[in-house]
Structures are given as structure tokens and as C-alpha cells.
Amino acid sequence: MNLPKYILGDNTDYPTSIFVIHTEFPRFIINLEDDEVEWLEEFDNHDQKELETETENYIKEATEFYDREVARYEDD
């Protein structure tokens, strides 16, 4: 199965939260309400260094994905 790089998620137990799921390495879920990130991977020291430099970019991409999706809903 081919999955999109980002998927929107919501849950009625968290009515103010907006979740974006990143399905490629490094897999994570971000809550756009507070930018909290839950990593779905185990990392070694090499990966940890890459994460430190790339985390800001991942959050930016996830936010841009959300903004794009919302704009598409508003256009319909």
C-alpha cells in the first residue's frame, strides 16, 4: 500500500487538537495545537544528530500540509 507522506488525524477525546501523521522515516505524529511531537521510531546517535537539525523542517512541513488541506476544504 502506498501512503501519503502526511495524513490528518483528529479524535473526539481531544477536541482542540489537530494531529498530522508523518508516514516516512522518521515517522512521527505532531499535535499542531502545541507542536508536541511523538516519534514512532527508535534512534541511534547518528539519527539523533540528524533529528536535531531536521525537526524544525518537519514541523514546518507538517504545518504547511495542514494549511494546504484546510485551504482545499474552504475552496469546495
Side-chain angles (χ1 to χ4, degrees):
M1 170 190 317
N2 289 327
L3 295 174
K5 184 175 182 177
Y6 290 102
I7 299 171
L8 283 178
D10 66 351
N11 187 301
T12 56
D13 292 334
Y14 302 90
T16 61
S17 296
I18 300 166
F19 299 101
V20 175
I21 300 98
H22 183 257
T23 63
E24 297 177 359
F25 184 85
R27 294 174 305 139
F28 64 87
I29 299 171
I30 182 171
N31 181 347
L32 295 180
E33 178 183 35
D34 57 12
D35 290 339
E36 184 177 347
V37 176
E38 180 70 29
W39 298 101
L40 305 175
E41 307 282 358
E42 302 259 341
F43 301 107
D44 61 22
N45 288 339
H46 178 271
D47 292 334
Q48 192 68 33
K49 287 184 178 187
E50 180 181 338
L51 279 179
E52 290 171 5
T53 60
E54 292 296 322
T55 297
E56 186 176 326
N57 289 335
Y58 294 136
I59 292 171
K60 181 180 178 227
E61 284 182 4
T63 302
E64 289 172 352
F65 164 76
Y66 171 76
D67 291 342
R68 185 193 77 189
E69 292 297 298
V70 169
R72 287 179 176 177
Y73 283 117
E74 290 172 352
D75 289 343
D76 287 345

